[in-house]
Amino acid sequence: MGKEHWLRKRSIPILTVLLAVAITVGIFYLYRTYPEWFEAEALKKWGYLGAFLISLISSATIILPVPGIVVLFALGTTLNPVLVGLAGGTGATIGEITGFLAGYGGRGMIKGKGRMYTMVENWMRRWGGWAIFAFAAAPLPLFDIAGVVAGVLGYPVWKFLLVAWPGKCIKYIILVWVGAWGWKVVLP
């Protein structure tokens, strides 16, 4: 009973961490093997689906950041920036599941909490969904930490996605619109 209980208790967290790492490794493998798939011109052909996919991919990497927003700037110059922002925000929200899974799976492994982690955890305990929304909308790279913390705290994944989505969409719409406008000013 003791070994079986330990295995059952540890298997889901271990599998979720492995899944998050596998997604990240898979994305980097695809990027290294087929870099032409990730070029702005190739993604323009995909249109709004390209905006969704590049945001999904860039947000799903939890180990090394991929700057997908730059590609969205270019897409925003030829497509509707609001729709590019919505597609990008939706993809980014779904991509953040990897950080959530890493936190959920690593609950027992996170021992030495850093200052930033502790600060985000305190905000999430105090404001819950509002903190997730604020981190998702903020133009700062703190949302990965918020996703990990939400997973550690056992926040329901459906609530996490539901609250993060409007924040990510607002952020992406503003960034894409400003980026597309700036792109047109710099390169008329």
Side-chain angles (χ1 to χ4, degrees):
M1 175 92 165
K3 241 184 192 179
E4 186 178 308
H5 175 69
W6 181 88
L7 183 61
R8 199 175 308 136
K9 184 178 175 185
R10 300 279 188 227
S11 62
I12 291 177
I14 289 170
L15 289 174
T16 56
V17 169
L18 290 176
L19 176 64
V21 170
I23 290 169
T24 301
V25 169
I27 288 168
F28 277 106
Y29 172 76
L30 286 174
Y31 181 73
R32 300 283 293 177
T33 307
Y34 305 103
E36 65 276 6
W37 290 2
F38 299 88
E39 292 174 0
E41 287 303 315
L43 289 169
K44 276 185 191 176
K45 292 176 188 172
W46 288 79
Y48 299 110
L49 179 60
F52 172 82
L53 291 174
I54 195 64
S55 295
L56 175 78
I57 290 166
S58 64
S59 293
T61 57
I62 55 174
I63 298 171
L64 297 171
V66 176
I69 193 68
V70 176
V71 176
L72 296 186
F73 291 165
L75 287 174
T77 62
T78 58
L79 300 171
N80 182 325
V82 173
L83 296 178
V84 171
L86 284 172
T90 302
T93 301
I94 294 169
E96 294 295 349
I97 290 176
T98 55
F100 182 91
L101 289 174
Y104 180 80
R107 282 190 279 201
M109 295 181 263
I110 296 178
K111 302 244 190 281
K113 300 175 184 177
R115 201 174 88 200
M116 184 66 69
Y117 177 93
T118 304
M119 179 184 70
V120 172
E121 182 179 358
N122 289 338
W123 287 348
M124 293 209 29
R125 286 186 187 280
R126 185 171 181 187
W127 293 302
W130 288 108
I132 293 171
F133 173 81
F135 283 121
L140 303 169
L142 291 175
F143 195 73
D144 285 338
I145 297 170
V148 170
V149 171
V152 168
L153 295 176
Y155 203 81
V157 70
W158 68 268
K159 254 187 190 177
F160 172 75
L161 293 172
L162 188 67
V163 173
W165 181 72
K168 284 281 188 182
C169 286
I170 289 168
K171 175 171 84 175
Y172 273 64
I173 288 169
I174 292 169
L175 289 175
V176 170
W177 187 79
V178 168
W181 177 78
W183 197 287
K184 287 178 182 177
V185 168
V186 174
L187 303 170

